[in-house]
Amino acid sequence: MSKVRFITILVFLPLYTILAQETTLSKEEAVAKALENNFGIEIAKGQVEIAENNASILNSGYLPTLTGTAGADYNRDDSTIEFPGRILTEDGVDVIDPITGEPTPFPDTDIYKAEAQRYSAALTANYTLFDGMGRFYNYKKLKEQYNLSTLQARETIENTMIQMFTVYFEIARLTENRNVQKQALEISRDRITRSEYSFEYGQNTKLDILNAQVDMTNDSINLLNTEQQLANAKRDLNVVLNQDLAAQYQVDTTIVFIPKFQIVEFMDQAITNNVAVLQTESNLSINEYDIKVSKSGYLPTVGLSGSYGWNLNQSAASAFFPGSNNETYNFALGASLTWNLFDGGSTTVSVKNAKIAYANQELLRKQVELEVNRDMQNALALYENLLKIYRIQEQNVFTNQNNFERSREQFQLGSITSIEFRQAQINLLNAQTNKNLAKYDAKLAELQLLQLTGQLLNVEL
């Protein structure tokens, strides 16, 4: 065994052992993991939940409000009361103070710790019976905003699927390229062995051995580069799937193309299924509800109210009044009508602006429909072109395979040089890698076309 061949085996044997232990990640499993774990999809799901909460009956304004209040007050007074006038006898004569000799005035009255408490509690209910239909149309608008959020989440999912399959197919392409380059390496290694034997028997020169070793070195480097690209692509897919970056697996390299008649059917229904068009239609409905909500400002508001309350007043005795303890209960019902007969023109401005926004959204919908039709035609042309290229590349591989087999036979017989044989090998290698590229480019173009028709999530891939 030559030294170069021994080194090559030592380099690639651990790698072959690891690859043999890898499990296969199917397309269906990749889709399921992306839907379950992808960060962007999880965020989109959260936005849908927020919109669903906003569109619930609890946020509609249709339910009454019930308010409870309670209070407690405490008051303490310390006071001195001065009385005008003098103390008189029964005969109306002043009572003379024996010390001062002056008429005796009325004494002051001191009141300490005169406490008073007040307690109250009440329940108040209010209900808007009619608000000019604004509440009704606002609730409809919230429902439509929830629908819009689901469409936005669907768009995120579709974009994530395209992103995921782009990386998945890149792994598949590099996997097939790696297998092709392994075969090329084995052929170059076999050339070295044959050149060494021929040199020993004097059938060629040392130059043939050196050429074979150079070719094997190039094949080894190409294989190493492909392995590095493959490892990077797998880490990219692990990020999309939100799994361990070190996870190792193989992917399914089988590609099945959808029949042309089915794609045509999908394109005929694209305007009713394309997520971008559906979003513009949803926004159009929201703008229509905005007009109706604005117009509700022209109509009156009718409301009902009711309350039930309890009050307790406790007061201390004073100089002129005895203490009291007063407890009351009250119940009240009421109705109100509010009609803003003139609001300075703000409602009129709101209605006009809402109508303009609706007209703009209608223009945007037409523009999006036109762009979707254009993108579909371009995508279909690209898909058909790439599919033709793939078929041509398949035939090219078949031709180069036959050429290589014949060249190998002639090389073994000594009819052609090693350089001519190497050229046939390179031609076959290029044809195989080009076929792999064309195959996955065509499939990815098909997926992008399916996304435009709104069928990406509805077909088996």
Side-chain angles (χ1 to χ4, degrees), residues 81 111 114-116 313-326:
I81 301 176
I111 300 176
E115 297 179 340
N313 294 320
Q314 295 176 335
S315 60
S318 65
F320 301 100
F321 301 99
S324 65
N325 191 346
N326 184 21

Side-chain angles (χ1 to χ4, degrees), residues 355-368:
K355 288 181 177 179
I356 294 173
Y358 179 85
N360 288 341
Q361 186 62 39
E362 196 167 24
L363 293 174
L364 180 60
R365 178 178 61 84
K366 294 179 180 179
Q367 179 183 357
V368 170

Side-chain angles (χ1 to χ4, degrees), residues 97-166:
D97 189 329
I99 298 176
T100 62
E102 299 292 332
T104 304
F106 281 108
D108 297 338
T109 301
D110 295 326
I111 300 176
Y112 298 100
K113 297 183 179 179
E115 297 179 340
Q117 298 90 24
R118 181 180 179 182
Y119 304 97
S120 64
L123 287 175
T124 304
N126 290 285
Y127 181 69
T128 301
L129 191 63
F130 178 76
D131 66 344
M133 299 297 289
R135 174 178 52 183
F136 173 77
Y137 291 119
N138 192 61
Y139 186 54
K140 291 280 190 180
K141 174 183 174 181
L142 292 173
K143 288 289 187 182
E144 192 59 44
Q145 286 176 337
Y146 167 71
N147 180 53
L148 178 61
S149 295
T150 60
L151 292 173
Q152 291 170 342
R154 174 186 153 188
E155 183 180 30
T156 299
I157 293 173
E158 289 182 355
N159 291 335
T160 302
M161 290 300 100
I162 293 294
Q163 179 189 12
M164 188 273 292
F165 276 114
T166 300

